[in-house]
Amino acid sequence: MDIERHEYDVVVIGAGGAGLRAAIEARQQGKRTAIVCKSLFGKAHTVMAEGGAAAAMGNVNSDDNWMVHFRDTMRGGKFLNNPRMAELHAKESPDRVWELEAWGALFDRTKDGRISQRNFGGHEYPRLAHVGDRTGLELIRTLQQRVVALQQEDERLHGDAEAYIKVFAECTITTLLKQGPARDAGISGAFGYWRETGRLICFDAPAVVLATGGIGKSYVVTSNSWEYTGDGHALALLAGASLINMEFIQFHPTGMVWPPSVRGILVTESVRGDGGVLRNSEGKRFMFDYIPEVFKDKYATTEEEADRWYNDQANNRRPPELLPRDEVARAINSEVKAGRGSPHGGVFLDVSSRLPAAEIIKRLPSMHHQFKELADVDITAEPMEVGPTCHYIMGGVEVEADTGASSVPGLFAAGEVSGGMHGSNRLGGNSLSDLLVFGRRAGAGAAAYVDRLAARPVTPDDVMRAAEIEAVAPLSRAGGENPYEVHHELQRTMNELVGIIRKAEEVKEALEVVTKLKERAAATGAPGGRIYNPGWHLAIDLRNMLLVSDCVARAALIREESRGGHTRDDFPGMSAEWRRKLLVCALTADGEVSVEEKEQPPMRDDLFRLFDRAELSKYVTADELADYDALVKES
Amino acid sequence: MGYKAKFRVWRGEGGEGALEDFVVEVNEGEVVLDVIHRLQATQAPDLAVRWNCKAGKCGSCSVEINGKPRLGCMTRMSTFTEYETITVTPMRTFPVIKDLVCDVSFNYQKAREIPSFTPPDNVKPGEYRMQQIDVERSQEFRKCIECFMCNNVCHVIRDHEENKPAFAGPRFLMRIAELDMHPYDVADRKDSAQEEHGLGYCNITKCCTEVCPEHIKITDNALIPMKERVVDRKYDPLVWLGSKIFKRPGSSNPSGSKAG
Amino acid sequence: MTQTTAGRPPSEPSQRKQRAQIKARTLRTDRWWLAPAITFAALSSFLVYGFWAIFDKSYFIEPYIAPFSSPCLATSCPEGARFLGLAPLGDWWTLPPGFLILGLPAGFRLTCYYYRKGYYRAFWLSPPACGVGEPHKKYTGETRLPLIIQNVHRYFFYGAILIAAVLTWDAVLALRDHEGNWGHVGLGTVILWINVVLIWAYTLSCHSCRHITAGRLNHFSKHPVRYKMWTFVSKLNSRHMLLAWLSMYSVMLADLYVRLVAKGIVNFPLA
């Protein structure tokens, strides 16, 4: 069978914010770069980001600086973040945002003509550069247009627009190619197929940057698009790299659950901030039953007080609907499990009985529009049905902070597919800036790696053949099992058993199911030809989803504490001992997922000193606190 | 509640094909794309449809539903009666790859023909100062999700394949307008809009505006203002004379703007 | 490390570069033909009326002058009908007075961005409606003669301002009674005033006007007054279509009304 072959210096997999920024960097450093993406160019999931890009530019409040941003990020991640990544992110994101502006982005402005910044949960100062509620679209379009600008430059210089940077759209990578089977053998390329024609394609390249995003499609209810099948996570694992923090998944408490066409799509937090209340099927405002001890003095205990808060925030405590995301998500989950959910498995979020219609439309225009256009629900007249939705995975490929390099030579990762930056929980707004900062660093890291190489790596023939056989296998099993059914069962399993609240028995059960599904997935077949055959595509993606789900479940079973995006019903507390440990997933020689504990590298002294003692004492062990005291005394 | 709907879906590869009839279950609250997915999962596993975000934000699932360009994810089934046959076809203006999926590379090619944002040399990143009112017009055009339905519906190329080389389509004429109105863009785009990108082909019949899922006023706010800017340059003797007489010395104005 | 890369091979090119073969001119199931049909009928009725009105001689009766015949600039006009009492063209002009000036408002509407949409769709079927195939083999739009002339729209706009000023003056004169005493308000006065307001609204909502106020600028913030004007014109402009129709019918009805009064079909004092 003939296989299309291309030679590049750097192959970037994924064309979202991180992938495009990495590709731009590699090209700017003179490397011949390919961008390979599953969707059309410019459609990646980054377009869904609404809030903005966090960058301590200090345009709105000049007290803001990288140190404040760094602290906010570490606090948000419950101190499990890779401190170097959080530092780089806080220091570099302003430059990355300004650079976008020079490439044509049009952010909303302050009165004095600078980039406007908005408040967001967990950020001490107004920090999010934004364009209305479509910041992600602006970001991806700007990067896309930057790629085009570089191509126009190449056309002028070399007569070929695609001489140095080329987009391979609607092309899926199924395997990373290596020089040999050893764990530390270098990358030699990537192998995949054109979705459009089914034709196989091989990239010969010494460096690959993974920028494939998340894993949401392993869950039934998710805000993620179909592309989010954990491809990069799985490709890295299979190539011999390791994943960290895979147990940490952010569930947004209020996603739409009904109608089915919009299940999982986010309902912004401001609905609750503007008076929206959560009720169960009995009409009860149940959040009052779920105020944890530590928050008892900060939240209202009666409906009367909670209602007064909206107009008088100084003399009343906040309504419990505004508890942190994980608390709200947990409460909704409990109500549904107790049989008090709404007809479609969520709870009611009601703003219609709380504010006059005109006021709702004025304060929540985009939500009103979203429900009206997508769901035919008038939120001024009836309650919304909402429930937790899988939103973001904090875990990912374990990388070197400065270069995005994984443990496999030549393999780099950036964005959601990389792990460490956000610790156990990501702050809103830190994602878009993460993509830009580490996208650029991974692109530069890959370029530097290529420069250091003495010779181009070569893919052995048997590796190529194996990749080819694996890619077309589902087509030859025409009578095999329907991949859609295996997928649905996986989604149900992960949603119910390794969802927002986890218990040891349930996670174990999920692991058994995943093992069985792996067998079934190996037998799925896809009738039809090679041209644009979605059944075939799904059969291949299933491998990735199952591998990733396996990692998530195993790590979730081992971490016996609750922290950020990982909540164990049987271990509800946060443990300072566990904070020092990272769970690292890798594949054994026979292809099984193994999880090992690894010590979290300590924070550099100058970073450590940025925090005050009272705050640190909530997170770190007594030993670490003693180190801190010694540090302070020294200075 | 649920009912069985009659669907006619165009199926075929590389142009050859036909409308195929299906009877398929429809549940409350669904959109056309959900029904297409149900067909895929139950009756036609290799039925090709392009989609991505399913929330009207990425512009991937552009098809024609009962002859009108629509996003599959934004067309609710409740807008049809239960007895109606719903016809779903691929976009007409672009070559079809398979079933509902078109080759939209025309659009990416046109995108590459429009010169990029050209800021003045002397402004560094971080030094940009722009007022909200000065960026608002271009911001409206940047809402575009590139579903390409405006280019699909535009009769200039929909009905006249031969015009494709000379006409960038509403999407990219709007891109020219976006850049021409950008407070910091110094490139001259008026002559090329008319001569190279085919602004003159537009006869402002507004179908692009009618189908835009982002409700961008493409014709009124981008194409007509751009036509007027071209008139300034090419067809208005008074403005032409004025610019000759009162010509500003070079582009020495601080932000390097083109006008005002 | 740079080697040439094979571009994406045009796999089965001849087969792939084809549109979906669908014979039907449109698959629309709604009444897409209704809007162009109405536009066709409405514009045609206006043309027919205009043709009649221009040759109709009863265009003046104190204090009203029919809009289609104003300004009256020739000696052939009755004395009271002459614009500012002048007859600059003297007596060699013997054709109906409308011929002299109708070119301005007619040209303004003919090159108007809204009317262009209307008649391109309804008369030239290019296209009749969105997603409905047009019957023409070739299409060059406004890239060459004669349609490239549409670009002179802004000059007709300047002319239309003059005409609107004249009609305003006529409406002021209609505040006199039939003997020339000020303070009269008859049905005709009201009609002429409504008409003149709509004419102004339509004229100022013009896309060219929007461009002239500030649309051509890139820095609104440096021209606050022009930006205010632009904002106002933009608001009107979003109703340009509505204003086009309303003012078209108002001027037709006002014209007809004056002629009916002049013919004695409607009588004072009501008139």
Side-chain angles (χ1 to χ4, degrees), chain A residues 488-525:
Chain A
H488 287 157
E489 188 156 350
L490 174 69
Q491 290 184 310
R492 272 197 304 275
T493 306
M494 291 303 284
N495 225 70
E496 283 164 21
L497 304 178
V498 203
I500 180 156
I501 312 290
R502 294 137 181 198
K503 290 188 188 121
E505 319 84 77
E506 289 185 349
V507 177
K508 280 181 195 152
E509 191 187 330
L511 277 169
E512 281 166 29
V513 177
V514 168
T515 310
K516 280 192 200 116
L517 288 177
K518 275 186 173 172
E519 282 164 29
R520 282 173 61 190
T524 50

Side-chain angles (χ1 to χ4, degrees), chain A residues 124-234:
Chain A
E124 193 169 335
Y125 296 115
R127 189 177 286 149
L128 271 63
H130 60 274
V131 191
D133 59 359
R134 54 164 192 88
T135 317
L137 174 66
E138 185 70 11
L139 193 139
I140 203 155
R141 199 65 80 229
T142 304
L143 293 174
Q144 181 185 350
Q145 286 162 351
R146 174 66 185 163
V147 169
V148 169
L150 290 170
Q151 290 180 326
Q152 290 171 345
E153 192 180 299
D154 289 341
E155 177 142 46
R156 278 195 300 276
L157 291 174
H158 312 289
D160 176 10
E162 295 179 330
Y164 277 84
I165 187 163
K166 179 167 164 148
V167 181
F168 294 78
E170 302 200 302
C171 184
T172 305
I173 296 297
T174 56
T175 314
L176 297 181
L177 303 171
K178 301 220 308 175
Q179 285 168 290
R183 197 170 272 265
D184 60 354
I187 288 289
S188 61
F191 188 92
Y193 62 90
W194 287 106
R195 304 175 71 80
E196 197 176 281
T197 56
R199 205 182 141 126
L200 300 177
I201 181 167
C202 171
F203 296 90
D204 293 301
V208 168
V209 179
L210 296 173
T212 55
I215 62 140
K217 275 296 154 189
S218 298
Y219 287 80
V220 181
V221 183
T222 174
S223 61
N224 297 170
S225 74
W226 68 265
E227 292 187 285
Y228 268 37
T229 50
D231 291 8
H233 291 83

Side-chain angles (χ1 to χ4, degrees), chain A residues 257-274:
Chain A
V257 294
W258 181 255
S261 60
V262 294
R263 184 152 67 170
I265 294 178
L266 296 190
V267 179
T268 171
E269 274 177 43
S270 38
V271 175
R272 281 170 283 142
D274 283 341

Side-chain angles (χ1 to χ4, degrees), chain A residues 4 6-7 9 32 166 194 196 450 456, chain C residues 1-3 5-9 11 16:
Chain A
E4 195 180 320
H6 300 273
E7 239 174 64
D9 297 334
R32 292 164 20 75
K166 179 167 164 148
W194 287 106
E196 197 176 281
V450 173
R456 282 189 79 95
Chain C
M1 304 238 335
T2 42
Q3 274 169 296
T5 302
R8 182 170 162 188
S11 35
R16 286 195 45 240

